Amino acid sequence: MSEPAITPDIISAHGLSDSEYQTILDLISREPTFTELGIFSAMWNEHCSYKSSKKWLRTLPTTGPQVICGPGENAGVVDIGDGQAVVFKMESHNHPSYIEPYQGAATGVGGILRDVFTMGARPIASMNSLSFGAPAHHKTKQLVHGVVAGVGGYGNCFGVPCVGGEVRFDPAYNGNCLVNAFAAGLADVDKIFYSAASGVGMPVVYLGAKTGRDGVGGATMASAEFDDTIEEKRPTVQVGDPFTEKRLMEATLELMATGAVISIQDMGAAGLTCSAVEMGDKGDLGVILDLEKVPTRETNMTAYEMMLSESQERMLMVLRPELEAQAKAVFDKWDLDFAIVGETIAEDRFVIRLNGEVKADLPLKALSGTAPEYDRPWIETPVPSALGDQPTIDPIKGLTALLSSPNYAGKSWVYEQYDTMVMADSTRTPGWGAGIVRVHGTDKALAFTSDVTPRYVKADPTMGGRQAVAEAYRNLTAVGATPLATTDNLNFGNPEKPEIMGQLVCAIKGIGEAVAALDMPIVSGNVSLYNETDGSAILPTPTIGAVGLLRSQDDIIGFDVREGYVALLLGETKGHLGQSALLVEAFGRAEGEAPPVDLQAEATHGDFIRANRAQIAACTDLSDGGLALAAFEMANHARLGLTLGVDDTALLFGEDQARYLIAATPENADALRASALSGGLVLAEVGCFGGESLQLGGDGAPLAELAEIYRASFAATVT
């Protein structure tokens, strides 16, 4: 079958600029074949090459005594003691989920799970961060239902608990929802598997499901804005099969135990192309592939289609040849394909053959190491004016406005569709703070959270980046965990616009400052750009996934709040209402400055919580909705009334950072105040638990009525 001629329209359709195409001509001293053009397009698109963000990602702190493997592999690896490691990463599947919500979200979950078990880790937890358009927008309900069903359908069938996440709505996501998927797994520190190939003449082995035409060009699609041709992109969305993935995981982990694996790589974005190139590049080797040996589920597939297919549940491995029979037996047992499709070579070449005909012959390192890298022009976001008039509202009316919003109402409609208890190690599931999973067979546990406040990032990208990390730090701290490390999912609009590029640059700066100050290095991540439709960008949404360690389950700050317990507020409250949830939900105003983030105060207050956790009956950090929303959530979870001696709007709903709400016995409250005083910290008694109502100063309402609003509002919005 002859390949199409290379024309300017075809070059443009592959997402390559004129200058990038000229670079290709300079590299290979000839016109590329159609297959070669597809390979360059896959490797040089934004999704795979990070060409707009590499310069800035290098500034992030990525090392520490706890870090075994930082960015650059399938997932990050962090030491948790006793010869064990937690392996984790977060990635986006935004564009596919907008085009085909169920499969887009499902294959996002499948892809992130493969990233984890490719490293030799068995997945133990998942999370997701979902951003949708305005509830009244004509696509929102369809997207919510499809995405949630896709996340649950894949994760539940695979058998990994979903222990946390977040869901938000804003008109800025009307044309481009965000689906960020997180997974974490456990591995022995001496049994981590990496992707760098080694050894000349070693077999390159294809593992897993067969290759089809689904997902061809998916990575390139993910590196472009949407317009009115969106429906034409539906074939670029992959189709997942969680039961095949479950078998692939078991087969892969069993294979690793045989000693047959030299290196291994998930086939994710750009499929066979990216996996083969990354393995060769990291090992300073070339690769030859014979595509007629690739297992396919469709007839007459071209080299172009096979190299760019993103069919799911596939891996690529470099094998120890003497263990070929043993390795093949493992995959035969699990009824999965095992095919030697090529070999490693000493030369810097990436050679693709189909039925003996060379379809591509390229310098391998040029596909990866010399991919374009841009220092795009950027401008800082202007600092917004300080909030002028300070709004006031009756406390219960203000709280009801928050509880009625799908942004702050309970999300049980979502997480009840997920299996949160499979594997029987989940000790805290979605609905109250960070998720917690026991480290099976030990007394340790791991805590997980995902956080970002996009309206802060839009107002002040540096401060918003700081705050996303700080809130993740607080959520882990509030359950008693010591924060270990983070993964980031940087979702932004078109980086070719200086104002969008400025958001990305400054958010990375803020994230870097925070992870350094709070000892939470970035060990993995993903950048998702061009999240725009018809030139309208999403809110800048740099999601932070974070993991914390509980060395003993006795260290967990539980939830045992009783009549007569005291409510304490750690941290100074100035009443910052700029960019607050109350301002948006009750007054329709996204105005003012983002709240400042004092990283020293965050660290000091976190240390105080962990040092005194034995005296704390329950704890939550203060973020969206300030003290009022935190007080309701704690009272609602305890099913016990709470009286606060505060009725000022700014003091109740202000979103000052570095604050925690604590419940303690009267005796322990005295001890906590004394400890805080000796450390120069602000810890004030703000209320007392008891009765059946929530009393905010002189304004109150039955807790049961508020709880029903909180319980029912989300489902009423999306159904």
Side-chain angles (χ1 to χ4, degrees):
M1 183 183 297
S2 61
E3 294 190 336
I6 306 301
T7 66
D9 285 346
I10 284 180
I11 294 167
S12 176
H14 281 76
L16 293 164
S17 67
D18 291 343
S19 63
E20 288 169 347
Y21 185 68
Q22 185 58 52
T23 301
I24 293 171
L25 297 179
D26 294 341
L27 277 169
I28 65 177
S29 301
R30 58 176 171 80
E31 280 203 347
T33 67
F34 186 64
T35 299
E36 289 173 335
L37 184 73
I39 289 171
F40 272 110
S41 169
M43 291 304 301
W44 285 12
N45 65 61
E46 193 74 57
H47 192 73
C48 293
S49 73
Y50 298 96
K51 58 191 176 187
S52 297
S53 56
K54 277 191 288 192
K55 170 184 170 69
W56 304 103
L57 295 176
R58 293 190 189 102
T59 67
L60 288 170
T62 60
T63 60
Q66 71 273 44
V67 178
I68 296 172
C69 176
E73 280 291 340
N74 287 289
V77 185
V78 176
D79 197 326
I80 62 170
D82 307 310
Q84 293 179 302
V86 59
V87 179
F88 64 96
K89 189 181 185 182
M90 179 175 271
E91 278 200 344
S92 62
H93 230 222
N94 303 334
H95 284 51
S97 298
Y98 189 77
I99 297 168
E100 180 55 65
Y102 185 94
Q103 290 297 347
T107 52
V109 174
I112 200 65
L113 290 169
R114 285 196 305 280
D115 281 337
V116 167
F117 69 75
T118 301
M119 301 289 292
R122 180 174 291 275
I124 61 163
S126 68
M127 297 189 294
N128 52 86
S129 178
L130 312 176
S131 303
F132 299 104
H137 188 264
H138 68 278
K139 280 188 70 79
T140 297
K141 288 183 180 180
Q142 172 212 355
L143 290 170
V144 172
H145 282 256
V147 165
V148 171
V151 169
Y154 204 102
N156 295 352
C157 293
F158 179 87
V160 62
C162 182
V163 299
E166 51 190 344
V167 184
R168 68 180 57 84
F169 297 83
D170 190 276
Y173 303 105
N174 281 350
N176 202 128
C177 66
L178 302 183
V179 175
N180 295 173
F182 170 100
L186 287 174
D188 293 337
V189 296
D190 59 350
K191 294 175 184 174
I192 305 296
F193 288 81
Y194 299 98
S195 60
S198 64
V200 174
M202 295 295 167
V204 175
V205 184
Y206 175 112
L207 305 169
K210 297 184 189 303
T211 294
R213 291 187 172 94
D214 55 314
V216 173
T220 300
M221 174 273 292
S223 302
E225 295 181 34
F226 284 151
D227 54 27
D228 57 9
T229 66
I230 185 171
E231 286 303 315
E232 298 173 13
K233 297 179 173 68
R234 193 171 298 276
T236 64
V237 178
Q238 310 92 332
V239 178
D241 179 353
F243 297 108
T244 297
E245 177 119 333
K246 174 69 171 175
R247 288 185 290 124
L248 179 61
M249 179 192 71
E250 297 296 349
T252 300
L253 296 178
E254 188 174 332
L255 176 69
M256 289 169 169
T258 68
V261 178
I262 294 176
S263 63
I264 190 164
Q265 175 73 40
D266 161 44
M267 282 196 229
L272 194 53
T273 291
C274 194
S275 56
V277 169
E278 287 189 5
M279 291 174 76
D281 180 50
K282 291 174 183 175
D284 289 320
L285 294 168
V287 174
I288 295 175
L289 296 179
D290 291 304
L291 297 186
E292 68 275 7
K293 298 176 182 177
V294 171
T296 59
R297 62 171 183 261
E298 300 182 48
T299 59
N300 299 319
M301 288 189 70
T302 65
Y304 177 96
E305 290 170 331
M306 282 192 272
M307 292 306 297
L308 299 188
S309 168
E310 293 183 8
S311 294
Q312 297 293 284
E313 294 86 44
R314 302 179 303 158
M315 317 275 273
L316 201 65
M317 172 183 73
V318 176
L319 169 74
R320 297 190 190 280
E322 68 274 15
L323 294 175
E324 176 188 339
Q326 190 174 349
K328 186 176 186 304
V330 171
F331 273 72
D332 287 345
K333 167 187 167 183
W334 289 99
D335 194 24
L336 293 164
D337 280 295
F338 178 102
I340 295 177
V341 297
E343 66 174 340
T344 59
I345 58 175
E347 296 82 10
D348 177 27
R349 294 172 64 200
F350 188 42
V351 181
I352 307 302
R353 300 187 297 222
L354 179 58
N355 297 320
E357 182 182 350
V358 174
K359 296 293 186 178
D361 189 346
L362 299 169
L364 187 143
K365 279 203 166 294
L367 292 168
S368 178
T370 60
E373 181 174 340
Y374 296 123
D375 185 3
R376 296 198 186 276
W378 60 278
I379 56 175
E380 287 196 41
T381 300
V383 176
S385 301
L387 193 63
D389 60 308
Q390 293 285 317
T392 60
I393 194 169
D394 292 338
I396 295 299
K397 184 177 179 181
L399 179 60
T400 301
L402 296 180
L403 301 183
S404 302
S405 164
N407 283 314
Y408 307 107
K411 305 300 190 299
S412 59
W413 183 90
V414 175
Y415 62 74
E416 285 176 0
Q417 298 184 52
Y418 305 151
D419 191 333
T420 61
M421 297 301 295
V422 64
M423 301 173 72
D425 281 319
S426 304
T427 67
R428 185 170 296 189
T429 53
W432 177 253
I436 303 176
V437 176
R438 290 187 294 259
V439 178
H440 199 74
T442 76
D443 193 40
K444 297 186 300 236
L446 291 165
F448 303 97
T449 188
S450 165
D451 297 286
V452 66
T453 307
R455 65 180 182 278
Y456 292 171
V457 187
K458 184 178 182 182
D460 184 336
T462 301
M463 203 59 70
R466 280 189 178 191
Q467 193 275 340
V469 176
E471 186 173 346
Y473 174 87
R474 291 197 302 270
N475 279 331
L476 296 176
T477 297
V479 300
T482 300
L484 284 179
T486 52
T487 179
D488 59 357
N489 202 152
L490 308 178
N491 307 273
F492 291 83
N494 184 345
E496 297 168 45
K497 298 177 180 178
E499 65 275 16
I500 300 294
M501 193 65 207
Q503 292 176 345
L504 174 64
V505 170
C506 293
I508 290 174
K509 178 177 182 288
I511 290 168
E513 292 169 349
V515 298
L518 301 175
D519 192 21
M520 298 169 70
I522 297 280
V523 297
S524 59
N526 171 241
V527 178
S528 175
L529 304 180
Y530 295 95
N531 289 289
E532 300 198 6
T533 296
D534 295 327
S536 180
I538 62 163
L539 291 177
T541 311
T543 310
I544 299 296
V547 177
L549 176 64
L550 294 137
R551 297 195 178 278
S552 166
Q553 290 177 53
D554 291 338
D555 290 341
I556 296 174
I557 297 175
F559 200 93
D560 180 22
V561 181
R562 303 182 186 182
E563 188 95 16
Y565 278 24
V566 175
L568 301 167
L569 179 59
L570 174 64
E572 187 177 5
T573 300
K574 296 181 178 179
H576 185 99
L577 284 172
Q579 299 298 330
S580 66
L582 179 76
L583 199 65
V584 173
E585 300 294 348
F587 298 95
R589 297 164 55 189
E591 300 172 12
E593 299 171 301
V597 179
D598 182 336
L599 294 171
Q600 181 56 57
E602 295 284 4
T604 301
H605 293 175
D607 289 343
F608 176 86
I609 295 292
R610 284 185 293 276
N612 294 279
R613 54 191 155 201
Q615 296 168 318
I616 297 173
C619 181
T620 184
D621 83 303
L622 270 63
S623 52
D624 291 305
L627 175 60
L629 189 55
F632 164 77
E633 289 177 344
M634 188 174 278
N636 182 54
H637 199 70
R639 298 183 180 180
L640 188 62
L642 172 60
T643 297
L644 291 185
V646 181
D647 60 6
D648 179 81
T649 297
L651 298 182
L652 278 172
F653 296 98
E655 295 178 6
D656 307 273
Q657 301 294 295
R659 296 186 300 159
Y660 297 84
L661 184 63
I662 297 166
T665 65
E667 297 79 12
N668 285 339
D670 290 340
L672 287 166
R673 279 195 295 268
S675 178
L677 183 64
S678 68
L681 305 183
V682 176
L683 182 67
E685 181 174 334
V686 292
C688 182
F689 289 90
E692 297 179 351
S693 66
L694 183 66
Q695 197 76 26
L696 304 178
D699 198 9
L703 182 62
E705 290 183 9
L706 296 172
E708 179 58 22
I709 296 170
Y710 180 73
R711 184 197 66 79
S713 294
F714 188 94
T717 301
V718 300
T719 55

